[in-house]
């Protein structure tokens, strides 16, 4: 009596997608999208769905870009007998390459998902070489949420060749 046992609830989400893009207006405007498969597992229950992301990027000169996208257009995800809609959202942001060698990119974005408050995030990407990009990001606290610094931190890596890329991220 009186003892509290901590339990760990195994949760895993997988988002696997194929992307496409096309350049227009003398390569200053890009339109792209991602078709993605989503698998979510909570305890021993798994659910699957598919969704679409659509975005637009404008290259405004000297490494400066502005863009927007709509995320998670798709079908609800069904856990046993419960259907949950995906958190559809909108994102707008700007980015610029800040070093002479154009290896460091800094970005600022704002996003709004259904049933969630606005979020503002800062991020950077460092191109180690033609193949590897390292990324780090931080979501600003807009309210006193009493969560740790790491709760808002993310990191990632991109591995690229001329036609394909593989990207992985970890959200702390």
């Amino acid at each position: 009596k009186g003892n509290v046992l901590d339990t760990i609830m195994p949760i895993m989400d997988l988002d696997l997608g194929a992307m496409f893009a096309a350049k227009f207006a003398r390569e200053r405007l890009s339109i792209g999208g991602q078709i993605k498969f989503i698998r979510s597992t909570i305890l021993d229950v798994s659910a699957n769905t598919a969704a679409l992301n659509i975005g637009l990027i404008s290259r405004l000169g000297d490494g400066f870009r502005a863009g927007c996208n709509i995320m998670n257009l798709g079908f609800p995800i069904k856990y046993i007998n419960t259907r949950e809609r995906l958190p559809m959202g909108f994102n707008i942001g700007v980015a610029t390459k800040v070093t002479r060698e154009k290896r460091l990119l800094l970005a600022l974005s704002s996003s709004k998902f259904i049933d969630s408050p606005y979020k503002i995030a800062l991020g950077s990407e460092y191109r180690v070489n033609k193949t590897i990009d390292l990324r780090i990001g931080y979501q600003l606290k807009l309210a006193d949420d009493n969560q740790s610094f790491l709760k808002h931190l993310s990191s990632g890596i991109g591995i690229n060749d001329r036609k394909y890329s593989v990207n992985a991220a970890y959200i702390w």
Side-chain angles (χ1 to χ4, degrees):
K1 285 187 163 182
N3 292 336
V4 177
L5 298 176
D6 289 327
T7 59
I8 298 174
M9 185 185 315
I11 298 172
M12 185 187 85
D13 291 324
L14 172 69
D15 181 333
L16 183 64
M19 294 168 269
F20 55 92
K23 293 181 180 179
F24 299 96
R26 291 184 255 171
E27 299 194 0
R28 296 181 80 60
L29 184 65
S30 296
I31 298 172
Q34 176 192 34
I35 299 170
K36 60 185 180 176
F37 167 78
I38 300 168
R39 180 175 182 89
S40 182
T41 303
I42 300 174
L43 294 174
D44 61 348
V45 178
S46 293
N48 304 312
T49 192
L52 176 67
N53 297 342
I54 300 171
L56 175 73
I57 295 176
S58 178
R59 288 165 188 76
L60 302 172
D62 200 30
F64 187 78
R65 297 176 183 182
C68 61
N69 71 332
I70 299 172
M71 300 165 280
N72 292 332
L73 297 169
F75 305 101
I77 192 164
K78 183 179 178 185
Y79 296 93
I80 305 174
N81 294 323
T82 304
R83 288 187 178 273
E84 298 283 337
R85 67 179 181 196
L86 294 176
M88 190 169 67
F90 180 77
N91 187 38
I92 187 166
V94 293
T96 188
K97 294 189 176 179
V98 294
T99 60
R100 186 177 1 189
E101 301 85 19
K102 305 292 184 194
R103 295 176 77 174
L104 179 65
L105 178 108
L106 297 179
L108 171 69
S109 70
S110 175
S111 60
K112 172 70 172 111
F113 284 85
I114 291 176
D115 300 331
S116 295
Y118 282 96
K119 296 178 182 176
I120 297 174
L122 302 169
S124 67
E125 176 182 87
Y126 180 72
R127 174 147 286 180
V128 176
N129 55 40
K130 290 182 181 180
T131 305
I132 299 173
D133 296 323
L134 299 176
R135 301 180 184 109
I136 190 162
Y138 187 75
Q139 188 178 94
L140 299 175
K141 296 179 184 182
L142 297 180
D144 185 20
D145 59 10
N146 296 321
Q147 294 177 339
S148 74
F149 174 83
L150 289 179
K151 175 73 177 165
H152 300 274
L153 190 65
S154 62
S155 58
I157 186 169
I159 300 172
N160 312 290
D161 76 3
R162 283 180 273 177
K163 286 189 175 184
Y164 303 99
S165 67
V166 175
N167 295 283
Y170 185 79
I171 300 171
W172 301 85

